[in-house]
Amino acid sequence: MVMTSHSTALAANPVLRVPPASPAAAATYFGASLAFHADVSDVASALAAYGDPGFVVLDSRSTASWDQGHIPGAVHLPTALIPEQAAALLDPAVPVVTYCWGPGCNGGTRAALALAQRGFQVKEMLGGFEYWVREGFAYETWEGGERRAADPLTAPVDAADCGC
């Protein structure tokens, strides 16, 4: 096989060294991803728009973290306590959206796994509490409610949504 300069350049390209999946495989993967994940702004929108959004939000962090700040209306259940307390705090017929600190933390993933292993329908909120705050949504602390201005790197400055 004779390699052209184009194919030689692609082979050296770290993005395309492994070729993209077929469109069918990509559709399967990304469709499945949406079944497992929820976006911060979608969660905020659903909580704001509906009296009952059809899911419960679960903060899987420690009590100290919860006191520092959490999503209003969230259930506080640290991951380590899920085995003994989930059945008493959550309705297995209602989907759960878990979160932890942020994208550098997999605590929301561990909580989602623990809940799924106990028969709960679950999604993980991408971005966690960090992106909830960075996108400018209200949150509660042990002292009361707070809100920060949206970070222009994470949310549109002069628009209702990002358009994605």
Side-chain angles (χ1 to χ4, degrees), residues 63-64 66-70 140-146:
T63 299
W66 168 267
D67 288 346
Q68 188 174 322
H70 57 271
E140 297 174 343
T141 72
W142 68 274
E143 295 177 306
E146 291 193 31

Side-chain angles (χ1 to χ4, degrees), residues 30-58:
F30 291 116
S33 179
L34 292 172
F36 298 112
H37 300 109
D39 179 86
V40 166
S41 61
D42 290 343
V43 171
S45 175
L47 292 174
Y50 307 102
D52 176 6
F55 61 87
V56 63
V57 177
L58 184 140

Side-chain angles (χ1 to χ4, degrees), residues 98-161:
T98 65
Y99 75 90
C100 198
W101 272 112
C105 172
N106 67 0
T109 306
R110 287 193 306 272
L113 173 60
L115 289 165
Q117 290 171 331
R118 284 155 185 80
F120 291 89
Q121 291 181 303
V122 65
K123 288 188 173 198
E124 178 185 12
M125 186 178 76
L126 296 175
F129 184 68
E130 175 188 347
Y131 273 72
W132 183 272
V133 174
R134 289 183 72 188
E135 290 191 22
F137 300 117
Y139 61 98
E140 297 174 343
T141 72
W142 68 274
E143 295 177 306
E146 291 193 31
R147 179 180 230 133
R148 294 183 185 172
D151 179 338
L153 295 176
T154 65
V157 176
D158 293 322
D161 66 46

Side-chain angles (χ1 to χ4, degrees), residues 58-61 75-79 81-82 85-86 89-90 111 115:
L58 184 140
D59 185 315
S60 65
R61 301 172 303 147
V75 171
H76 181 226
L77 182 58
T79 303
L81 300 178
I82 288 174
Q85 295 183 10
L89 292 174
L90 302 169
L115 289 165

